[in-house]
Amino acid sequence: MKTFRLLDGAMGTELFARGLAHGTCPMLWNVEHPDKVADVHRSYLSAGSQAVLTNSFGGSTFALKRYGLEARLGELNWAAADVARSAAGADAVVVGDIGPCPELMEPYGDLTEEDVSESVHAQGSALLEGGVDCFLVETMGDSQEVCASVAGLLPLGLPVWASYTFEKTPEGPKTMMGQTPLEAVTAAFQAGAYGAGANCGTSLSLEDYLEIAAALVQAFPGKPLILQPNAGAPVMTPDGLAYLADTEEFTDFAEKAWGLGITVLGGCCGTRPCHISGMTIALKRRI
């Protein structure tokens, strides 16, 4: 596959800035406002991103069902990949973005491993047809779901990245299911993921992410590792929750993370092209 070091930032943050209404399915914009979705991709590419994530985070059967759109899974995911591919051109990498199912797996919920694998396979097939170069299963809180998702994607023949979301606990960062970063990432690699790491985490600071980075690099030497932090831990303001980490902080974070040995960096909630610009500066310093 084509290699990349710098992914993009938040898609939702940018779509809301362009008029997406809360409560609306973001994936509808792939067909109703493809120009605005493409503009988000181009803004990140202009900031220095070497790869962009498709606007398909909620593209599973179970996520689309909440909007009554499950019958349009193929159409909406294909369009997400097509818009990203058109914006990226031949040089940048297009990553098929696959988020978690909004329902729990057995024994805590009703979803089986087969349910998840089948849904992810269908989503991945449409993204592949639209032109993606690889997949990222992201914001995962359960290694069982990661393993089922990777199993559904591997037959499609493209590399699969897997990324978990962690939150602070008295014992250190853990997933929703209580797994440490080392336990969760180990499961992803054992399932066949090409690369793995962490993203999001509403209680994690950039310093917390550096601690996770150091632990992962030590535990998985030579393995592709990815980090996509939020723009700092959110804080409550008079206007609601806000992410306040600025470009300078992201530049410093990125330089330290690459210095530790992280393979790929990007941004999650609250990050914008300015944050990616900071990471671009850091990457040029590390090369």
Side-chain angles (χ1 to χ4, degrees), residues 16-205:
F16 287 129
R18 287 163 174 77
L20 177 68
H22 289 274
T24 301
C25 178
M27 289 190 66
L28 280 175
W29 273 35
N30 296 325
V31 294
E32 295 179 354
H33 301 287
D35 54 329
K36 294 184 179 181
V37 177
D39 186 57
V40 175
H41 293 313
R42 286 192 292 266
S43 69
Y44 282 122
L45 292 166
S46 296
S49 295
Q50 300 164 339
V52 292
L53 282 164
T54 56
N55 179 34
S56 55
F57 178 83
S60 70
T61 303
F62 309 102
L64 290 174
K65 192 174 184 179
R66 291 186 165 188
Y67 299 99
L69 296 171
E70 64 271 26
R72 298 178 66 180
L73 180 148
E75 172 200 1
L76 295 177
N77 280 283
W78 180 90
D82 184 62
V83 170
R85 181 82 273 165
S86 298
D91 295 330
V93 176
V94 175
V95 183
D97 189 18
I98 296 175
C101 293
E103 302 174 24
L104 293 176
M105 295 184 65
E106 296 178 339
Y108 305 102
D110 296 327
L111 291 185
T112 66
E113 291 185 8
E114 184 177 5
D115 291 334
V116 173
S117 292
E118 287 181 354
S119 174
V120 170
H121 183 82
Q123 183 180 4
S125 297
L127 291 168
L128 174 61
E129 186 179 347
V132 303
D133 299 300
C134 60
F135 299 108
L136 173 62
V137 177
E138 62 148 317
T139 320
M140 292 287 171
D142 182 2
S143 64
Q144 183 184 11
E145 183 174 358
V146 166
C147 293
S149 299
V150 172
L153 292 170
L154 286 179
L156 297 176
L158 295 182
V160 182
W161 294 79
S163 183
Y164 295 88
T165 182
F166 301 97
E167 301 295 346
K168 282 186 176 182
T169 76
E171 298 80 30
K174 290 188 177 182
T175 66
M176 175 181 66
M177 292 301 179
Q179 296 165 314
T180 67
L182 298 189
E183 291 169 338
V185 170
T186 294
F189 281 128
Q190 290 177 342
Y194 170 81
N199 76 290
C200 205
T202 57
S203 61
L204 299 183
S205 67

Side-chain angles (χ1 to χ4, degrees), residues 238-255:
D239 297 321
L241 285 178
Y243 297 88
L244 302 181
D246 59 20
T247 301
E248 184 176 350
E249 291 175 274
F250 248 63
T251 304
D252 181 64
F253 163 80
E255 189 162 8

